Amino acid sequence: MQTEAGRPSGKGRDGAGSRHATQKQAIEAARTTARREKLEVVIHGRNGRIRDSDSYGHDPHPPKDTKH
């Protein structure tokens, strides 16, 4: 199974940042990149629906996060 991670959206970003053997490895790599680049990670399930998301940038109006 190959899973894509680190697919930042925006100008000039249009491909997989890395490929991983497991979804767990892909999610960890995406979170590491997001922390370093101060981005948001959005994890989608096979059905395309959002499973989880985390924002690592500065948000002047952060959501009321009940996960952490």
Side-chain angles (χ1 to χ4, degrees):
M1 173 178 147
Q2 284 192 332
T3 304
E4 294 180 21
R7 295 176 53 196
S9 62
K11 191 173 185 177
R13 308 285 186 142
D14 61 355
S18 55
R19 291 194 178 273
H20 303 277
T22 67
Q23 188 176 51
K24 182 177 181 177
Q25 290 173 339
I27 291 168
E28 279 305 312
R31 286 189 171 141
T32 299
T33 300
R35 285 183 193 107
R36 184 180 64 241
E37 303 289 330
K38 297 188 181 343
L39 300 171
E40 181 176 22
V41 174
V42 180
I43 301 164
H44 296 266
R46 289 181 184 249
N47 61 2
R49 298 180 95 184
I50 295 174
R51 281 185 23 193
D52 193 14
S53 66
D54 283 309
S55 180
Y56 297 98
H58 175 69
D59 186 353
H61 304 289
K64 294 179 182 173
D65 191 354
T66 59
K67 286 191 308 187
H68 303 254

